Amino acid sequence: MTTKTPQIDKQKLVNIRALAAKCCYSVIDQGRSLSDELPKQQDKAALKDKGLLQEICYGVLRYLPELEHEVRALMQKPLTGKQRVFHFLLLVGVYQIKYMRIPDHAAVSETVAATGALKNRQMKALVNAVLRNFVRATETNTKTKQENLPDSIAYNHPGWFIKKVQQGYPLKWQEILTANQQKPPMWLRVNQQHHTSAEYQQLLTTAEIGVKVIEPLSGAIELTRPTDVTKLPGFEQGWVSVQDAAAQQAARLLDCQSGDLVLDCCAAPGGKTCHILEQKPDIASMTAIDVEASRLVRVEENLARLGLNAKVIAADAADSKAWWDGQQFDRILLDAPCSGTGVIRRHPDIKWLRKANDIDALVILQQQILKETWSLLKPGGTLLYATCSILPQENSEQIKHFLNNNSDAKLINIDDCDKPEKDLLGWQLLPGDENMDGFYYAKLLKTIL
Ligand SMILES: C[S@@+](CC[C@H](N)C(=O)[O-])C[C@H]1O[C@@H](n2cnc3c(N)ncnc32)[C@H](O)[C@@H]1O
């Protein structure tokens, strides 16, 4: 009699800890971005495990120095070369034991089993021994003393970045670094062409989706917990989008008027382009450009879902000769390429991928785009400069330099700016302020000389 081989769902055989180790290895050792790498590994996992994989990868990248410190204390020599992926597997193991509600024995056995999935059974004994020792040391409270740790380990950020935050915010640097370690909230942008924020809140309540707060300046809605977009009422019909409340301040501050010619010169993936069009559908035209043609696909998708129109052009904002038709704009949004240091809680890989030298290069690029786009603005028009950075070099100092070099530029006061950082030019939101991302805005008027 022949027995039928049972159908095996290959996905069920995938070890999530092995995928997490590979993902972290790609980010840290190969310099790839988490938002590119995680989906690739998630594609190999069963639907029910994708969230677990995400939580582990984000967690390891949030607590990288601390986890490495723990592992170092339990090893005679570090893993190098081809064994590096097992270094990350150990971090995956320690993260679960320290920060997740997975029973220690399950965290250890699943992580040890990952050595098989990573095709190196020789590592099995080592991973097993290190993780068991870690559990034992935690239980018996005999772990390495955590006092007098360097700031980079105590705060889980690179040293160069800590120094910059200390210089910029001598009284608040610890608060900022602590906010960067939090899990970010999910904020919604309500398409006011369909519903007010209060009306949409009702729809959420009916759908049993909890609302924490409605941010008063922008009408952004903060959910009590992140929710799959497909569960949001009317998402496909364009009633709502996902966007942090800090980013939702841009459309309001740009304050477009009927008939305006508007330029969004660093537009992809189009969050702010679409918000401006939702708020002011009767502007004369919206031109959305971005240097990365591949990223403009997302702009087109967002415009299509929301039923909006814009001229979408792949172009370099620092060189208008190639695309500009000579008509000056009434409003320009310059959401500049930046260090992303205001959104570390959403992208913990920024801490490790961004290097100290990058900042000077970014400041020069921002300067070039600012100079070029200023020439595209009508006298009497407004340019809103924005970044998702908290570094004064890219923000307040950048604007100070611009004002010193452009006598036709006047900084317009932003009323909401009654924040402690009064001495900085513009409006600097810090990560965690009202549970928003770190963001910067400066509103510049081109005077009629
Ligand atoms: C902060 S993101 C913009 C986010 C977008 N405004 C939104 O709200 O969805 C910065 C963008 O600037 C683009 N960029 C970088 N250098 C550029 C340049 N020289 N010209 C135009 N776009 C550029 C990047 O490709 C990136 O999409």
Side-chain angles (χ1 to χ4, degrees):
M1 203 177 84
T2 53
T3 47
K4 232 177 154 187
T5 316
Q7 283 287 316
I8 298 173
D9 177 354
K10 277 194 185 150
Q11 291 212 314
K12 286 194 184 131
L13 297 177
V14 167
N15 183 298
I16 296 302
R17 280 74 181 173
L19 298 183
K22 280 192 197 172
C23 181
C24 295
Y25 169 77
S26 299
V27 172
I28 301 299
D29 281 17
Q30 298 183 317
R32 306 219 169 104
S33 97
L34 180 58
S35 37
D36 287 343
E37 283 308 302
L38 181 61
K40 285 187 205 160
Q41 300 301 340
Q42 279 179 320
D43 279 351
K44 300 175 196 161
L47 186 63
K48 68 176 176 49
D49 293 330
K50 290 183 197 289
L52 172 66
L53 177 56
Q54 173 166 330
E55 182 168 359
I56 297 175
C57 293
Y58 272 73
V60 169
L61 296 174
R62 271 199 188 105
Y63 292 96
L64 186 73
E66 178 188 312
L67 301 173
E68 290 193 315
H69 173 72
E70 301 282 16
V71 166
R72 248 191 325 265
L74 296 164
M75 307 258 302
Q76 282 172 351
K77 57 181 174 89
L79 295 172
T80 52
K82 285 189 178 153
Q83 296 177 334
R84 279 288 285 175
V85 73
F86 296 95
H87 167 75
F88 292 98
L89 185 62
L90 288 170
L91 305 185
V92 163
V94 172
Y95 174 71
Q96 293 167 83
I97 295 162
K98 206 167 171 183
Y99 288 108
M100 291 182 75
R101 274 186 282 160
I102 298 173
D104 290 351
H105 64 86
V108 173
S109 65
E110 286 294 323
T111 309
V112 170
T115 55
L118 291 168
K119 299 191 175 51
N120 190 333
R121 296 221 167 258
Q122 287 164 350
M123 281 289 156
K124 188 176 172 182
L126 179 116
V127 171
N128 192 32
V130 171
L131 294 184
R132 279 183 197 285
N133 284 343
F134 181 72
V135 171
R136 205 168 304 125
T138 309
E139 282 168 358
T140 55
N141 211 12
T142 53
K143 267 197 313 143
T144 16
K145 288 274 171 284
Q146 301 291 317
E147 302 99 60
N148 302 324
L149 290 175
D151 284 343
S152 56
I153 297 177
Y155 290 97
N156 284 296
H157 282 73
W160 70 265
F161 179 67
I162 297 179
K163 279 203 192 87
K164 280 202 183 282
V165 181
Q166 286 170 333
Q167 282 160 7
Y169 307 92
L171 301 176
K172 297 190 101 182
W173 65 274
Q174 286 146 312
E175 213 178 297
I176 294 170
L177 300 180
T178 306
N180 285 351
Q181 290 294 95
Q182 307 309 308
K183 289 183 183 168
M186 181 166 173
W187 285 94
L188 302 181
R189 182 184 86 228
V190 179
N191 185 344
Q192 306 285 327
Q193 288 188 36
H194 294 283
H195 302 95
T196 63
S197 297
E199 286 164 356
Y200 195 76
Q201 180 181 15
Q202 279 303 317
L203 295 175
L204 289 169
T205 308
T206 308
E208 297 183 354
I209 297 173
V211 169
K212 194 166 166 200
V213 76
I214 298 186
E215 197 276 325
L217 296 171
S218 64
I221 296 182
E222 184 187 351
L223 299 184
T224 47
R225 67 178 62 86
T227 302
D228 191 331
V229 289
T230 58
K231 303 222 163 64
L232 298 172
F235 180 80
E236 280 308 322
Q237 297 100 294
W239 293 359
V240 71
S241 302
V242 177
Q243 189 177 42
D244 191 88
Q248 291 191 47
Q249 308 298 330
R252 179 179 66 83
L253 294 173
L254 193 61
D255 191 25
C256 294
Q257 304 296 310
S258 308
D260 274 355
L261 294 174
V262 183
L263 169 68
D264 183 351
C265 66
C266 294
K272 298 182 191 73
T273 313
C274 293
H275 193 196
I276 294 164
L277 287 164
E278 285 170 11
Q279 286 215 332
K280 205 70 194 158
D282 60 350
I283 57 171
S285 77
M286 164 66 82
T287 305
I289 73 169
D290 200 283
V291 77
E292 297 267 352
S294 60
R295 282 171 60 80
L296 286 171
V297 175
R298 289 285 311 286
V299 180
E300 300 279 15
E301 283 169 3
N302 283 324
L303 287 165
R305 183 178 64 83
L306 295 158
L308 303 167
N309 286 307
K311 295 177 202 165
V312 178
I313 307 172
D316 181 354
D319 177 16
S320 61
K321 284 190 296 297
W323 63 272
W324 187 45
D325 65 4
Q327 260 201 302
Q328 284 182 315
F329 296 94
D330 300 282
R331 294 283 186 275
I332 297 179
L333 172 63
L334 167 46
D335 189 10
C338 72
S339 61
T341 45
V343 292
I344 284 174
R345 59 185 192 159
R346 295 192 186 280
H347 304 282
D349 54 328
I350 286 176
K351 291 191 286 190
W352 319 117
L353 297 180
R354 195 61 77 210
K355 305 291 176 211
N357 295 345
D358 297 344
I359 309 301
D360 290 345
L362 280 165
V363 168
I364 291 169
L365 175 62
Q366 292 155 357
Q367 228 172 64
Q368 288 167 344
I369 300 180
L370 194 47
K371 182 174 177 217
E372 182 76 1
T373 48
W374 190 249
S375 68
L376 313 184
L377 186 66
K378 276 183 196 166
T382 309
L383 182 147
L384 184 67
Y385 176 82
T387 71
C388 56
S389 165
I390 58 159
L391 300 179
Q393 225 183 321
E394 297 176 86
N395 299 340
S396 181
E397 288 169 23
Q398 179 72 273
I399 294 304
K400 195 183 278 177
H401 177 267
F402 184 76
L403 291 169
N404 286 340
N405 287 284
N406 292 275
S407 55
D408 59 348
K410 182 170 175 269
L411 185 69
I412 303 175
N413 189 38
I414 296 176
D415 293 340
D416 326 301
C417 187
D418 56 349
K419 304 279 169 196
E421 280 66 51
K422 279 200 195 91
D423 51 329
L424 300 178
L425 296 183
W427 185 21
Q428 180 68 69
L429 283 151
L430 294 175
D433 281 353
E434 315 292 340
N435 220 1
M436 296 192 239
D437 285 344
F439 232 88
Y440 176 77
Y441 290 108
K443 197 168 167 175
L444 299 164
L445 172 75
K446 191 169 189 176
T447 55
I448 303 165
L449 288 177

